[in-house]
Amino acid sequence: MISSMTGYAVKTRDLERGTLQFELKSVNSRYLDFHFRVMEELRALEMPLRELLSGRLTRGKIECRLSFNQNGARSDQMEANPGLLTTLRTLESQVLATLPNAQPLSVGEILRWPGLLGDQSIDFAAMMPQVSILAREVLDEFTASRAREGEKLAQLIVDRVNAMRDIVRSVAPRIPEAQALFAERLRQRLHEALEGEAGEERILQEVAVFAARIDIAEEIGRLMTHLDEVERVLKQGGACGKRLDFLMQELNREANTLGSKSALVEVSQASMDLKLLIEQMREQIQNLE
């Protein structure tokens, strides 16, 4: 399976005291780079989440958001702690007896007193199993979205590989005949320019040397070999972005050599067309994991 480095997924999970939300999104990166945005109360869950994600992802700049929106307490669930109320009344009486000018507690201050309306705190450590379930669901959806995009990118690359093969096949049959014609013309020009100064054997040697310099059969062979390897890597799947990027460098080197050794307008044009397709493939490969 080929995966893109671009992906997005988000899910929520309703719990008794609120709603968990986990979000993943990623863009291109040379390495696996995590950026966590986690509320402070859930900070202890970052390391387990990092380990979970690292087991499934290999490249990309991954932004992870984990939040918990706590439900407000319903009025029928709110009940004042009678023991705490008695304690507050006793303490207030003691303070006023010593400091008669002190202000008594207001109703608002009493209602906001910690623990008066019961324990509203949340055990975030006990929430880890729920976070783990939610994270796995989001990760499944996230990797599926990256796989869908990766499949489309792979098809675009294969289309360009086939276009490059067509270019090479169209120009290859003309090369021997054109080289022979070019060599004959060069022989005649050398013969005319060096008539009386060099023998026929010397001229033929110079023509043979130049013909070897413009022979592009080796470059065409390597081009086809690299294209075969690109298709093989795509079929093999997995994290292949770096391998494909290296192959693009090799293809570009052969296309440049093809252009520099060209003795035909058709070959020069073919070199330019090949480099354009290689650049298009390179742009798509930058998105692959």
Side-chain angles (χ1 to χ4, degrees), residues 48 114 136 159 175 214 273 289:
R136 292 178 188 279
D159 291 342
I175 292 174
I214 65 172
D273 293 341
E289 189 175 24

Side-chain angles (χ1 to χ4, degrees), residues 271-285:
S271 174
M272 295 176 60
D273 293 341
L274 289 172
K275 288 192 286 186
L276 176 60
L277 290 169
I278 292 168
E279 186 59 33
Q280 291 174 354
M281 285 195 293
R282 193 196 301 272
E283 291 178 0
Q284 304 302 331
I285 288 170

Side-chain angles (χ1 to χ4, degrees), residues 19-289:
T19 302
L20 272 174
Q21 184 181 73
F22 189 60
E23 178 183 20
L24 284 176
K25 60 181 177 180
S26 67
V27 294
N28 301 352
S29 177
R30 293 183 62 187
Y31 309 102
L32 183 60
D33 185 13
F34 288 113
H35 292 265
F36 280 87
R37 298 181 182 272
V38 182
M39 59 186 297
E40 193 60 35
E41 294 83 354
L42 297 174
R43 185 65 62 182
L45 305 180
E46 180 178 325
M47 188 55 66
L49 289 174
R50 185 183 293 270
E51 293 176 359
L52 173 65
L53 298 175
S54 299
R56 297 274 298 275
L57 307 174
T58 57
R59 286 182 69 194
K61 182 178 180 181
I62 317 293
E63 183 174 321
C64 313
R65 292 177 180 267
L66 177 63
S67 61
F68 179 73
N69 297 319
Q70 188 173 353
N71 294 333
R74 301 201 313 263
S75 60
D76 60 352
Q77 294 176 327
M78 298 174 66
E79 182 177 348
N81 186 333
L84 182 56
L85 278 175
T86 301
T87 301
L88 290 174
R89 182 179 62 186
T90 301
L91 291 173
E92 182 182 45
S93 299
Q94 292 174 355
V95 171
L96 291 175
T98 305
L99 303 170
N101 295 326
Q103 295 293 322
L105 289 171
S106 67
V107 174
E109 290 172 333
I110 294 173
L111 290 176
R112 289 194 296 271
W113 199 274
L116 182 70
L117 299 177
D119 184 13
Q120 299 295 322
S121 63
I122 298 175
D123 186 357
F124 288 100
M127 193 184 294
M128 183 55 201
Q130 299 296 332
V131 173
S132 179
I133 293 173
L134 180 62
R136 292 178 188 279
E137 292 176 355
V138 174
L139 185 55
D140 288 341
E141 184 175 315
F142 180 71
T143 53
S145 70
R146 294 190 2 150
R148 288 192 297 270
E149 183 170 340
E151 183 179 359
K152 294 177 182 178
L153 293 176
Q155 186 56 54
L156 290 174
I157 296 171
V158 169
D159 291 342
R160 282 156 179 76
V161 167
N162 292 332
M164 291 182 67
R165 291 187 187 279
D166 291 340
I167 291 173
V168 174
R169 291 192 185 104
S170 66
V171 73
R174 295 202 54 201
I175 292 174
E177 179 183 355
Q179 287 180 327
L181 180 61
F182 190 85
E184 178 60 25
R185 290 177 180 175
L186 178 61
R187 189 192 68 79
Q188 292 178 359
R189 291 176 182 176
L190 286 174
H191 190 274
E192 293 172 359
L194 301 176
E195 186 175 4
E197 299 180 13
E200 184 69 19
E201 183 177 351
R202 174 64 176 173
I203 292 175
L204 291 176
Q205 289 177 352
E206 293 295 330
V207 171
V209 170
F210 188 77
R213 290 177 181 175
I214 65 172
D215 184 10
I216 59 175
E218 185 176 349
E219 283 72 21
I220 288 179
R222 283 199 293 263
L223 273 171
M224 299 300 282
T225 299
H226 293 328
L227 292 175
D228 289 342
E229 181 64 10
V230 169
E231 289 192 301
R232 187 196 69 79
V233 171
L234 288 173
K235 290 178 180 178
Q236 181 180 352
C240 59
K242 292 183 179 180
R243 172 62 178 166
L244 290 173
D245 189 60
F246 169 76
L247 288 171
M248 293 305 105
Q249 298 177 32
E250 296 301 305
L251 283 169
N252 195 64
R253 182 179 292 110
E254 299 304 332
N256 281 328
T257 305
L258 197 68
S260 65
K261 295 175 68 173
S262 172
L264 294 172
V265 175
E266 291 88 341
V267 176
S268 298
Q269 184 61 49
S271 174
M272 295 176 60
D273 293 341
L274 289 172
K275 288 192 286 186
L276 176 60
L277 290 169
I278 292 168
E279 186 59 33
Q280 291 174 354
M281 285 195 293
R282 193 196 301 272
E283 291 178 0
Q284 304 302 331
I285 288 170
Q286 297 305 314
N287 297 315
L288 293 180
E289 189 175 24

